[in-house]
Amino acid sequence: MGTGVTIEVSGLSKWFGRANVWSDVTFTMPPGEVSVLLGPSGTGKSVFLKCLIGLLKPETGSIFIHDTDLVSARAEQLYDIRKLFGVLFQDGALFGSMNLFDNIAFPLREHTRKGEREIRDIVMEKVDMVGLTGDEDKLPGEISGGMRKRAGLARALVLEPEIVLFDEPDSGLDPVRTAYLNQLIIDLNAKTDATFLIVTHDINTAQTVPDNIGIMYHKHLAMFGPRELLLTSEDPVVAQFLNGRREGPIGMSEEKDADEQAAENGRTRFTVPSMKPQLRASGGLERKAVARRMQRVMNMVHELPPRARHAVVDSLDEGDRVRYRDVIGDARLA
Ligand SMILES: Nc1ncnc2c1ncn2[C@@H]1O[C@H](COP(=O)(O)OP(=O)(O)O)[C@@H](O)[C@H]1O
Ligand SMILES: [Mg+2]
């Protein structure tokens, strides 16, 4: 499988007629890392994913992948770039009349000249990766929602993508299935080293899966950064989102009015709970992105607020403590 790629988004804005979905979205998804995108419904998270794969065209800005700007790319270039993406849509988007094998084989038959023997090998490998061995002959209607998502994931992986996008993979799943899916996502990231972007509403997923978190709010990307920064943030919007609290600037209809907000201000101040540990790849698997990310975060650790710095240091294992002792030993980190 390919190695993950960097995706550099800058100054991106999207309009539908006179309606602005979001503007000035600027951030970089580091290679092979897992990022989560959160935000209230209707803030344009799905629109953003569609812009990434070239289904929608942003009005301004650029999206650079491998020195190609997707926004200004010509049709042929876009066709090549699109092959780098695997996408898991909300419902798995399987063809109801095809069994799982044919569903998963579909992109290979459609986009490659591979023979049936090779297609079988690839499909069965992906079927095994997502834990569906023995279910290949079933129809989507005969299996659970969780299995449909895994089948959709197998199909998203058959063309060996360097970038995998997930639009609410955990919607409609119970907490146990979500926990299995999240572990599967982390394990697949270890096996592929592809760059992952997950849109989710699930707080536990946001707290335990990603290396980086972004929040769409108020027609902007309100914040994007390492998990330690967002999960320890006292910013009212960020803290409300990542802790699933009713109190905060986000109300039922996206934003609370001044009276509601004033009524809350008298209440006790919220302390951000300590960070949950991040999911690790299952035994025997290693995420290459982890070491790369550690290096990256250590290079920026002095720019982080104190709570985030401490969270970074607390999450280091013994080897990293030795490797980065000069950085940690710095008085500013004590
Ligand atoms: N093809 C489209 N044409 C016009 N408006 C659209 C289209 N797709 C999405 N929108 C609008 O863009 C906004 C963001 O939608 P969406 O990306 O689906 O939000 P989210 O995924 O964050 O819930 C919504 O107001 C939606 O109605
Ligand atoms: Mg959506």
Side-chain angles (χ1 to χ4, degrees):
M1 289 225 173
T3 326
V5 293
T6 305
I7 306 167
E8 233 180 309
V9 178
S10 59
L12 212 65
S13 68
K14 179 68 204 151
W15 298 73
F16 288 114
R18 293 169 138 200
N20 177 224
V21 186
W22 29 250
S23 317
D24 201 26
V25 173
T26 300
F27 71 113
T28 299
M29 275 173 269
E33 293 189 22
V34 179
S35 300
V36 148
L37 185 58
L38 298 164
S41 300
T43 46
K45 303 179 298 296
S46 296
V47 165
F48 180 75
L49 295 187
K50 285 176 188 163
C51 288
L52 280 184
I53 52 174
L55 283 177
L56 287 172
K57 203 169 175 61
E59 274 61 41
T60 69
S62 58
I63 304 171
F64 272 94
I65 296 173
H66 285 318
D67 300 324
T68 304
D69 173 18
L70 303 196
V71 178
S72 58
R74 282 173 291 114
E76 316 89 76
Q77 284 175 307
L78 208 52
Y79 184 81
D80 285 337
I81 288 276
R82 241 182 236 160
K83 285 194 236 163
L84 301 176
F85 285 92
V87 186
L88 177 63
F89 291 106
Q90 202 156 324
D91 50 0
L94 302 170
F95 301 109
S97 59
M98 278 184 199
N99 67 20
L100 298 190
F101 184 96
D102 290 331
N103 261 292
I104 296 165
F106 189 82
L108 291 166
R109 290 175 178 153
E110 202 69 359
H111 294 290
T112 71
R113 294 169 173 277
K114 294 184 194 300
E116 279 303 309
R117 183 184 289 253
E118 195 183 347
I119 287 178
R120 169 157 292 272
D121 288 346
I122 297 171
V123 170
M124 295 314 280
E125 184 209 336
K126 304 304 176 207
V127 162
D128 178 54
M129 267 177 138
V130 301
L132 285 174
T133 304
D135 296 313
E136 315 85 67
D137 297 333
K138 294 189 177 142
L139 291 171
E142 298 172 332
I143 58 175
S144 70
M147 289 167 79
R148 276 198 290 278
K149 303 226 187 216
R150 285 187 275 142
L153 193 46
R155 189 175 61 184
L157 295 173
V158 285
L159 294 176
E160 313 269 305
E162 294 183 35
I163 304 152
V164 187
L165 308 178
F166 304 78
D167 201 353
E168 302 191 25
D170 38 26
S171 73
L173 294 189
D174 60 61
V176 176
R177 297 273 155 63
T178 302
Y180 275 111
L181 184 71
N182 285 344
Q183 186 64 57
L184 177 63
I185 288 173
I186 287 294
D187 290 351
L188 289 174
N189 181 257
K191 287 177 187 166
T192 61
D193 199 25
T195 306
F196 284 19
L197 179 62
I198 306 168
V199 169
T200 183
H201 283 294
D202 188 90
I203 289 160
N204 187 54
T205 300
Q207 289 175 337
T208 60
V209 173
D211 300 305
N212 311 292
I213 301 173
I215 297 189
M216 280 278 193
Y217 183 67
H218 258 186
K219 304 184 197 297
H220 285 97
L221 183 66
M223 199 187 270
F224 180 86
R227 66 190 300 275
E228 295 89 346
L229 174 64
L230 281 276
L231 291 172
T232 60
S233 173
E234 287 175 311
D235 176 280
V237 171
V238 176
Q240 185 183 6
F241 236 91
L242 286 167
N243 298 288
R245 302 172 65 242
R246 204 151 42 77
E247 291 83 4
I250 307 166
M252 268 301 269
S253 51
E254 164 124 21
E255 204 179 347
K256 290 180 185 169
D257 58 33
D259 289 349
E260 277 180 286
Q261 194 66 98
E264 269 177 16
N265 287 343
R267 292 186 208 146
T268 45
R269 223 182 120 65
F270 174 67
T271 34
V272 179
S274 61
M275 216 174 63
K276 286 188 191 171
Q278 188 179 13
L279 275 182
R280 286 163 183 263
S282 301
L285 290 173
E286 193 197 328
R287 292 183 58 218
K288 292 200 193 82
V290 170
R292 285 196 303 259
R293 185 184 106 96
M294 192 53 72
Q295 181 79 59
R296 187 173 71 76
V297 172
M298 281 301 169
N299 286 339
M300 67 189 281
V301 74
H302 294 299
E303 297 155 27
L304 297 175
R307 293 176 61 92
R309 287 200 314 246
H310 291 136
V312 169
V313 173
D314 288 346
S315 65
L316 294 178
D317 62 23
E318 266 169 57
D320 284 331
R321 272 175 208 280
V322 175
R323 194 165 304 123
Y324 295 109
R325 64 176 175 273
D326 294 344
V327 186
I328 301 168
D330 193 303
R332 280 172 296 176
L333 280 177

